[in-house]
Amino acid sequence: MDAHKLLLADSNEDFLTALAEILSPQYQVFTTRSGKEALHILQREQCGVMILDLMLTELDGISLLEQAVALGLNPKVLVMTPLFNDYIQSAAERLGVAYLVYKPCDLQAVANRIADLSHGLRLAEPVDPHSQIRSLLTQLSVSAKYRGCRYLMEAIYLMAQDSGQSVTKELYPAVAQICNCDSSNVERSIRSVLDVAWKKRQPSIWECYFPLHKKRPTNAEFISRLAEMIRL
């Protein structure tokens, strides 16, 4: 995630404009009033910090955060809301919200909290790609008890390093060499573990990753999609 990119998602256009003016000298600022558009911007721009109003059009703030987590997107988040209740507090904690601010709020105070979040993001240790891959596979119900899961992890990692390689001719043999097995076994094991995951899947989560797939993605489609999300 890019600490210099900031997403402002708020239903109030005047508030968006005023806050963007304050922050534009320090950040590349993206603004939207739509929850669906906010999710697209997060995916496309990899914004490091998001300022989020829970009352968005098309997709509410809580649903937006849930889908972002499912997609492996982890910006630092400041939530603004005129309403506090146990549900919002619990959801904010569950979804890793850094700050929960009551609206209406002082613009400069919000800008100060954003600076804290951005600074912390710049100082953060790089995410271990294998840990990130493992988390994504867990969300997609890929069980670590199968050998195919290990082969998948290595395949996704290698594909993230070089997206132009052939899955059959280059990727499977490379995974086989790492795991000391035959490349045909790599292909069969990956296919088998994905078959099991597809049967156990949570449709709402899989749709976030593979929105156009009515059938299980092929091995190559699955590997390429996850590799895009942890591109090294």
Side-chain angles (χ1 to χ4, degrees), residues 72-219:
L73 303 170
N74 297 293
K76 299 289 185 180
V77 180
L78 184 152
V79 161
M80 298 179 295
T81 176
L83 175 66
F84 279 106
N85 57 37
D86 290 342
Y87 170 74
I88 290 175
Q89 183 71 37
S90 175
E93 293 176 359
R94 173 171 57 87
L95 296 168
V97 171
Y99 289 111
L100 196 57
V101 177
Y102 185 78
K103 291 182 73 175
C105 48
D106 180 73
L107 290 178
Q108 190 56 54
V110 173
N112 292 341
R113 298 290 76 76
I114 292 170
D116 293 340
L117 293 174
S118 180
H119 182 66
L121 185 61
R122 291 190 184 102
L123 295 178
E125 291 294 324
V127 176
D128 172 34
H130 282 94
S131 296
Q132 190 178 2
I133 295 168
R134 187 179 300 110
S135 176
L136 292 173
L137 292 178
T138 298
Q139 292 174 32
L140 289 165
S141 304
V142 178
S143 176
K145 71 180 182 180
Y146 297 107
R147 285 180 300 174
C149 182
R150 184 194 172 192
Y151 299 159
L152 256 181
M153 287 187 62
E154 296 295 347
I156 293 166
Y157 179 77
L158 293 174
M159 182 63 79
Q161 293 177 304
D162 178 11
S163 61
Q165 61 187 305
S166 163
V167 171
T168 303
K169 296 180 179 179
E170 298 175 272
L171 185 64
Y172 288 157
V175 172
Q177 184 174 7
I178 292 171
C179 298
N180 193 28
C181 64
D182 185 80
S183 61
S184 62
N185 189 40
V186 170
E187 189 278 332
R188 286 195 303 270
S189 296
I190 289 177
R191 184 175 65 246
S192 177
V193 77
L194 289 182
D195 284 342
V196 173
W198 179 255
K199 292 175 182 177
K200 295 168 54 181
R201 74 190 185 282
Q202 296 182 41
S204 61
I205 293 179
W206 275 73
E207 286 170 7
C208 289
Y209 291 87
F210 306 99
L212 302 179
H213 288 72
K214 301 302 181 183
K215 298 180 180 180
R216 177 178 81 73
T218 64
N219 290 7

